[in-house]
Amino acid sequence: MWRTVQRSLVIVVASTALGLAVNAVSPRRIPYVAPPKPVIADSEFISLAEAHKLWNSGGAFFLDARAPADYAAGHIANAFNLPAESFTEHFPQVAPFLAEKSPVVCYCDGVECDLSHQIAAQLRQQGFKNVHILQNAWTEWIKAGYPVNTGT
């Protein structure tokens, strides 16, 4: 009986060590402790009506934070795709169109979606000050019957 317990303990310890080692070298590693979610001020959010008003003015830039396939399936008309998952890869393509003082509206889809929060934070790190987040944008934009496009 004691020998079985020892072997089981060795297997558990070896498996744990192997799992930790693989996680440490993996590019998609899982954090041991989840970082706290950043606190977002209410002033950073924009209502659908305000966003539509900015869209009509033509002076705001709309950035879709979703994956390219989701963007191609449908997006707010004239919005640029800047996937949060590959911000550094795609930002140089979008950057020439952005003006530091012009409003930027970041969006994704769903109430729990935080991709727009991620690109908004990264844009602020790049020096953009007039950045807004439109919560649950894609769903609400379609419900309102506002203009949309498909394709890239």
Side-chain angles (χ1 to χ4, degrees), residues 4-20:
T4 305
V5 171
Q6 279 182 317
R7 288 181 181 167
S8 298
L9 199 58
V10 167
I11 290 172
V12 168
V13 169
S15 299
T16 301
L18 181 61
L20 290 171

Side-chain angles (χ1 to χ4, degrees), residues 40-47 50 117 131-135:
I40 300 171
D42 287 339
S43 62
E44 296 179 21
F45 291 101
I46 189 171
S47 70
E50 291 171 304
H117 303 253
V131 179
H132 307 282
I133 297 170
L134 180 56
Q135 195 80 16

Side-chain angles (χ1 to χ4, degrees), residues 63-107:
L63 297 177
D64 188 322
R66 300 174 300 156
D70 294 329
Y71 174 83
H75 55 272
I76 292 174
N78 303 325
F80 293 92
N81 188 215
L82 183 57
E85 303 291 326
S86 52
F87 180 88
T88 54
E89 178 186 335
H90 289 92
F91 181 70
Q93 299 161 353
V94 175
F97 299 101
L98 301 177
E100 284 188 29
K101 294 184 180 182
S102 295
V104 177
V105 178
C106 305
Y107 76 91

Side-chain angles (χ1 to χ4, degrees), residues 16 18 23 37 55-56 59 62 68 71 74 103 109 127 129 133 136:
T16 301
L18 181 61
N23 188 50
K37 284 195 168 193
W55 186 87
N56 278 332
F62 281 71
Y71 174 83
D109 191 24
K129 305 276 189 247
I133 297 170
N136 196 20

